[in-house]
Amino acid sequence: MAHAATHDHHDDHHGAPKNFFTRWCMSTNHKDIGTLYLVFSLTMLFIGGSFAMVIRAELFKPGMQLVQPYFFNEMTTMHALVMIFGAIMPAFVGLGNWMIPLMIGAPDMALPRMNNLSFWILPFAFTLLLSTLFLPGGGPAGGWTMYPPLSLQGDSVAYVVFAVHLMGISSIMGAINIIATILNMRAPGMDLLKMPVFVWSWLITAFLLIAVMPVLAGAVTMLLTDKYFGTSFFNAAGGGDPVLFQHIFWFFGHPEVYIMILPAFGIISEIIPTFARKPIFGYKAMVFAIASIAFLSFIVWAHHMFAVGLPLGAEIFFMYATMLIAVPTGIKVFNWVSTMWGGSMTFETPMLFAIAFVILFTIGGFSGLMLALVPADFQYHDTYFVVAHFHYVLVTGALFAIIAASYYWLPKWTGRMYSETWGKIHFWNSVIWVNVLFFPQHFLGLAGMPRRIPDYNVAFANFNMISSIGGFLFGASQLIFLGVIVHAVWFSKKKATDRVWEGAKGLEWTVPSPAPFHTFDVPPVIHDEDLAHGHVDH
Amino acid sequence: MMSQPQVMKDPGQAQRLRKARRTALIVAAFAVAFFLFSILQMVWLQHAGPAH
Ligand code: HEM
Ligand SMILES: [Cu+2]
């Protein structure tokens, strides 16, 4: 075969550029860009996390403790924007960049230069966004949902809108790249229905991004023209309607929450089969469930607006449509459990986080179902119950999946094993404190504590104090994560094998650990045992 | 100078890349259309009068 010969010939092209600036700033390599995304995301996780610490410190006791109300509102707004657009989404893009080409046997992403641009927009977007905190008028403080007229107060509107535009362009370009790569760059034999579930989940997520990020861009553009150019899209005095903003925002916003969970579903569907040493139960059902969740996510947006005074027919439609999502979601949870059933399981750190995901994400799904009931939501809306719901799906859901993926693929990235002991210490601390942090918020919400307030009735004191303690300790636990990563990248002595995990299947495990700078220059010849799903056609 | 994307070592690859660029353009066109549509429908709604 020409394989070996071609390799020798091009040896000078292998290996990363030596110059730091060329390697990282000019990179067109999917692995390096993936690393950049992941490092950026981790940085944002700690910045957004520090905002959360301010929030929990202020809420530790009733009464105004530490910060001014306006600053508190800036913290809730920035915490959400930084976590959603800076931490969760870039983490998934980073994982996709690293793993999609390896999983489908492609040499790189289809559009490597655009890949560079997608990433490098982000640091500028977030510098811009965060800089507003230091402006004379202060940063945005009207909530990440940016409802007018509230969000149009203050002088940071133009900065925030521009920052959101930049993030949107970055995500759209990232999504275009992922779609172009998955649809065209698969190695011969890697048919669509033989792709790993993670790749499928990203393909579907990318279509969601293409459909809704431009809508967000449109919505904030209209905020901008309402503020500075005399339009009145959302201004009742000029013939506009503020509720229209909510419709258009949530037409983006609900698919957005699925953008933050579908790749997580993909990750969990990779990890559980590996550590249960069984193929995923119901591969096609898993793929179709992701696709139906994606479809349904477009017709449920008004469940965020039950309390604005929708016509009764609309309330009923959006209530039932929302409850329908429980069906494909239930299929997924059932299939993860069935994959574990009768498997010979081991409980390394990625698996522990994956199992925690299945249980705790499901709790978040159940509270979502409660919120979907129109009469109940009139009570729960804008209370801490909603805060508890979305932190279960986003922290113990999306973030736990990202952490699980990091442990799972870190040996492939670095060529060394992380410390399993410290990984487990990180896991148990995270899983305990995250529940201490968020579970009491259900009770607070049911008792009527509103979200986004810096002070509260003394009746809510106890659960808030418990929640804050959980928050501080959960935050501190993530420093263990940082320690494990630093150790694994620079200090660990334990070499990783190519396959890393005994039960791991898929093309990404056929390349050496650490994955060389260039892989699959020549499309691999796929064997049955390289496929996690299906067989090679002969 | 931007570091060069990988040298193509497989003739099928060039063909796949060409198709990928076409896919990317089509998808990008959809994104632009969604952006314009989101604003245009609001303009249209305003001319049609208040929503309720
Ligand atoms: C299992 C299906 C789910 C259902 C039935 C559901 C239902 C709901 C409902 C009805 C609300 C509005 C509550 C209110 O404001 O009164 C809501 C809020 C929210 N949900 Fe879910 N949800 C589900 C899954 C998810 C997932 C998977 C995520 C993200 C990964 C998510 C993230 C959010 C967020 C961020 C909010 C709050 C948005 C805000 O007002 O700031 N949900 N959910
Ligand atoms: Cu929703």
Side-chain angles (χ1 to χ4, degrees):
Chain A
M1 216 181 82
H3 202 214
T6 348
H7 262 248
D8 292 343
H9 184 67
H10 284 282
D11 247 355
D12 47 333
H13 288 290
H14 285 246
K18 296 278 178 298
N19 179 300
F20 184 88
F21 180 80
T22 318
R23 168 148 189 200
W24 296 107
C25 298
M26 303 300 223
S27 180
T28 52
N29 179 286
H30 73 102
K31 301 184 186 85
D32 279 359
I33 294 176
T35 304
L36 286 170
Y37 267 108
L38 291 170
V39 170
F40 177 79
S41 154
L42 195 64
T43 314
M44 287 295 138
L45 186 74
F46 282 101
I47 293 178
S50 66
F51 298 163
M53 294 298 104
V54 174
I55 295 171
R56 278 327 312 173
E58 178 57 53
L59 295 178
F60 189 73
K61 283 197 293 186
M64 298 303 297
Q65 314 295 325
L66 302 165
V67 296
Q68 297 298 313
Y70 189 84
F71 186 73
F72 184 90
N73 293 342
E74 286 181 314
M75 288 293 101
T76 53
T77 306
M78 283 291 196
H79 165 70
L81 290 172
V82 166
M83 288 306 200
I84 292 169
F85 295 104
I88 302 288
M89 292 171 66
F92 284 134
V93 182
L95 294 168
N97 251 299
W98 247 105
M99 302 317 296
I100 289 171
L102 286 181
M103 286 175 144
I104 63 176
D108 205 310
M109 298 295 281
L111 304 139
R113 289 188 181 87
M114 192 169 82
N115 207 9
N116 174 292
L117 184 59
S118 308
F119 172 75
W120 277 106
I121 285 175
L122 285 180
F124 293 96
F126 279 89
T127 308
L128 191 65
L129 181 67
L130 292 168
S131 73
T132 61
L133 289 175
F134 304 101
L135 292 181
W144 81 280
T145 48
M146 299 180 278
Y147 286 2
L150 189 60
S151 65
L152 296 182
Q153 296 174 8
D155 298 321
S156 60
V157 176
Y159 294 82
V160 177
V161 167
F162 189 43
V164 171
H165 277 155
L166 290 176
M167 297 165 200
I169 290 171
S170 161
S171 301
I172 290 169
M173 290 195 303
I176 291 173
N177 216 340
I178 286 175
I179 293 173
T181 305
I182 299 177
L183 291 186
N184 300 289
M185 304 292 287
R186 280 168 289 124
M190 182 59 74
D191 305 343
L192 282 177
L193 276 174
K194 289 173 190 165
M195 298 193 309
V197 183
F198 177 66
V199 179
W200 260 112
S201 71
W202 240 124
L203 180 64
I204 294 167
T205 304
F207 278 108
L208 287 184
L209 279 165
I210 293 297
V212 303
M213 289 311 288
V215 177
L216 173 69
V220 297
T221 305
M222 287 182 272
L223 284 184
L224 188 77
T225 60
D226 270 14
K227 169 90 182 174
Y228 296 108
F229 299 99
T231 60
S232 30
F233 287 107
F234 311 127
N235 174 4
D241 185 350
V243 174
L244 280 183
F245 177 85
Q246 299 189 24
H247 279 292
I248 196 164
F249 181 87
W250 288 114
F251 183 82
F252 146 80
H254 189 82
E256 168 66 19
V257 306
Y258 281 95
I259 287 165
M260 294 188 284
I261 205 68
L262 297 185
F265 288 172
I267 288 164
I268 302 304
S269 305
E270 299 299 325
I271 292 176
I272 289 182
T274 295
F275 295 97
R277 293 167 181 75
K278 271 177 66 192
I280 188 108
F281 183 88
Y283 168 75
K284 283 188 185 147
M286 289 307 244
V287 172
F288 285 118
I290 297 177
S292 18
I293 292 172
F295 168 75
L296 288 172
S297 77
F298 284 108
I299 56 165
V300 299
W301 77 87
H303 65 212
H304 296 275
M305 306 166 55
F306 285 148
V308 302
L310 297 176
L312 187 60
E315 306 255 39
I316 291 176
F317 171 82
F318 284 107
M319 171 165 83
Y320 283 120
T322 302
M323 290 164 72
L324 263 186
I325 298 196
V327 177
T329 312
I331 291 175
K332 301 202 70 74
V333 173
F334 181 89
N335 286 2
W336 287 322
V337 175
S338 307
T339 305
M340 288 187 265
W341 190 263
S344 51
M345 290 205 283
T346 50
F347 299 94
E348 287 87 342
T349 312
M351 182 64 159
L352 290 174
F353 273 101
I355 293 173
F357 173 100
V358 175
I359 297 167
L360 298 175
F361 172 79
T362 306
I363 293 181
F366 277 131
S367 58
L369 270 177
M370 291 169 71
L371 291 166
L373 304 168
V374 174
D377 187 62
F378 273 71
Q379 293 288 316
Y380 306 154
H381 180 60
D382 267 349
T383 70
Y384 257 80
F385 193 84
V386 179
V387 179
H389 157 67
F390 66 72
H391 283 95
Y392 267 85
V393 284
L394 284 172
V395 177
T396 59
L399 183 63
F400 269 30
I402 291 165
I403 295 175
S406 309
Y407 281 110
Y408 184 55
W409 285 315
L410 202 58
K412 179 55 65 192
W413 302 335
T414 65
R416 326 258 177 92
M417 295 308 281
Y418 61 85
S419 159
E420 196 56 62
T421 313
W422 281 99
K424 290 206 166 89
I425 294 173
H426 172 223
F427 168 75
W428 285 110
N429 273 286
S430 296
V431 82
I432 291 169
W433 301 123
V434 85
N435 282 293
V436 175
L437 165 57
F438 293 122
F439 210 82
Q441 297 184 0
H442 290 113
F443 308 138
L444 287 170
L446 294 180
M449 179 174 160
R451 61 190 285 205
R452 295 170 171 155
I453 49 157
D455 186 11
Y456 51 83
N457 191 296
V458 284
F460 306 130
N462 292 349
F463 283 131
N464 268 298
M465 192 176 284
I466 297 172
S467 178
S468 286
I469 293 172
F472 301 143
L473 292 171
F474 180 72
S477 310
Q478 301 324 303
L479 298 175
I480 307 176
F481 184 41
L482 194 62
V484 176
I485 294 174
V486 168
H487 170 261
V489 174
W490 284 293
F491 302 105
S492 170
K493 296 267 180 308
K494 202 168 159 217
K495 290 239 176 331
T497 60
D498 293 356
R499 189 156 295 274
V500 182
W501 311 108
E502 186 191 38
K505 282 245 169 116
L507 281 177
E508 75 268 35
W509 308 108
T510 62
V511 304
S513 303
F517 197 60
H518 292 307
T519 37
F520 301 131
D521 284 351
V522 175
V525 179
I526 298 180
H527 307 286
D528 270 356
E529 64 270 21
D530 301 334
L531 285 175
H533 318 286
H535 301 278
V536 184
D537 299 320
H538 293 291
Chain B
M1 197 192 74
M2 190 80 116
S3 68
Q4 282 301 313
Q6 253 178 305
V7 185
M8 284 305 132
K9 290 162 188 173
D10 170 51
Q13 210 69 273
Q15 158 100 29
R16 281 198 278 278
L17 272 179
R18 251 196 317 280
K19 274 173 64 194
R21 286 198 197 101
R22 203 186 54 203
T23 311
L25 278 177
I26 297 171
V27 179
F30 271 102
V32 174
F34 289 140
F35 174 72
L36 294 177
F37 183 71
S38 69
I39 296 180
L40 289 179
Q41 59 145 349
M42 287 287 140
V43 175
W44 176 79
L45 274 175
Q46 284 216 317
H47 285 277
H52 320 288

